Amino acid sequence: MVKVYTIASGKGGTGKTTVSVNLGTMLAKLGKETYLMDADIGMANVGLILGLQDAPVTLHEILAGKNNIDEGIYNGPAGLKVIPSGISLQGFQQADPDKIRDVMSEIVKRCEFLLIDAPAGISKDGVVPLAVADEVILVVNPELSSIVDALKTKILTEVVGGHILGSIINRVDQDKSDIISRKMEKVLGVKVLGIIPEDANVRRAAAARSPIVISYPDSPASKAIQRIASELVGVVYKEDPAKVPREGFIDRFSKALFKKKSERK
């Protein structure tokens, strides 16, 4: 059964597109036929992240009726199929976002997972992706403005008949992840699907036009995305024991020392 997920955020700058690209790549790495469509026809960041900014045919041309869907599908990392939007202002003006439904109806015949990278914020272009997906995943930063805008997106999704699967909290201080997860579930009223920690390797991977799950598969952010993708697929995420840092003597000694002190109290 095909699953269609729209990846959305209430505001720009949350890392939504980076999450979309990496989550799609990871689903493909797990052996699932996965397509990623950039429905943010105004900003078109998927193509920039993957080095497809010069693609001759994009979603713009497909939505304008100039080209067919097959001409706008490109091979991405790990077997991911990508339908980028263009960076041309003229192409944006000619694209008809209402035709996204027609594009989707064709793509779902070919894949197991379709991820739709939705426009940030609340706009006409952003309504269709929220309404047509099986479920919507919110990408949120642990800051007030992002949370407030995510709540607006949640309400809009429900108004247009969509369903929120849960949220992904991005760029989190690793020491505060448990606390933030509980607070976010309470405030947003949806399940937290995963927490992606702040990770300098995300920027390094972006500079190389490569998903972090490919360039730095053992980094904290990459492992978090691997866990989320595994849950979506329905498999248990297992970290390679050989890649788990072994506890050193100093760490073991410190734990034993503090344990004895607490026992004396």
Side-chain angles (χ1 to χ4, degrees):
M1 181 180 177
V2 181
K3 291 294 293 185
V4 180
Y5 295 111
T6 287
I7 315 298
S9 65
K11 64 187 291 291
T14 61
K16 169 184 60 66
T17 300
T18 298
V19 170
S20 298
V21 168
N22 280 279
L23 190 56
T25 302
M26 197 60 226
L27 288 170
K29 284 188 71 175
L30 289 170
K32 301 300 178 180
E33 186 68 22
T34 306
Y35 279 62
L36 170 61
M37 182 173 72
D38 188 356
D40 190 352
I41 60 177
M43 302 306 292
N45 287 322
V46 168
L48 294 174
I49 289 177
L50 292 174
L52 294 171
Q53 65 273 11
D54 296 322
V57 178
T58 71
L59 187 61
H60 282 177
E61 286 71 42
I62 297 170
L63 296 179
K66 295 180 178 180
N67 294 86
N68 61 48
I69 296 171
D70 290 317
E71 295 174 291
I73 299 174
Y74 299 85
N75 292 320
L80 175 68
K81 298 295 191 297
V82 183
I83 304 172
S85 276
I87 58 176
S88 162
L89 180 58
Q90 183 180 8
F92 166 68
Q93 292 172 329
Q94 295 174 347
D96 181 1
D98 290 334
K99 291 184 178 180
I100 286 179
R101 299 173 189 267
D102 299 328
V103 176
M104 273 187 55
S105 64
E106 179 60 34
I107 295 174
V108 294
K109 300 174 185 176
R110 315 179 183 198
C111 62
E112 296 174 86
F113 285 90
L114 169 59
L115 301 187
I116 303 173
D117 186 47
I122 298 174
S123 65
K124 179 184 177 183
D125 295 345
V127 170
V128 176
L130 297 177
V132 298
D134 293 319
E135 294 176 302
V136 174
I137 297 174
L138 298 172
V139 177
V140 192
N141 294 151
E143 56 186 47
L144 183 59
S145 60
S146 178
I147 295 169
V148 170
D149 287 343
L151 280 169
K152 293 177 184 176
T153 303
K154 176 192 172 187
I155 294 169
L156 177 60
T157 300
E158 293 168 346
V159 167
V160 298
H163 177 261
I164 302 289
L165 175 64
S167 65
I168 294 174
I169 316 302
N170 194 28
R171 296 175 180 164
V172 177
D173 186 328
Q174 294 189 55
D175 296 331
K176 301 177 181 178
S177 59
D178 291 338
I179 296 173
I180 288 175
S181 179
R182 291 194 296 270
K183 287 184 176 180
M184 284 294 189
E185 288 193 340
K186 183 177 181 180
V187 173
L188 293 176
V190 297
K191 176 184 177 182
V192 172
L193 303 175
I195 289 183
I196 302 175
E198 187 71 60
D199 189 341
N201 289 311
V202 173
R203 290 186 290 275
R204 296 188 183 104
R209 294 290 191 270
S210 173
I212 190 172
V213 295
I214 297 293
S215 298
Y216 303 94
D218 299 321
S219 67
S222 181
K223 289 178 180 178
I225 293 166
Q226 291 173 43
R227 291 188 186 94
I228 297 168
S230 296
E231 184 171 327
L232 292 179
V233 171
V235 299
V236 178
Y237 170 73
K238 293 183 179 179
E239 188 172 343
D240 187 346
K243 296 179 180 179
V244 178
R246 295 184 64 183
E247 191 175 54
F249 168 77
I250 298 298
D251 295 320
R252 294 195 301 274
F253 178 77
S254 298
K255 285 184 178 179
L257 180 62
F258 284 116
K259 183 178 180 180
K260 288 181 180 178
K261 285 184 177 181
S262 62
E263 287 175 350
R264 292 194 193 109
K265 293 179 181 179

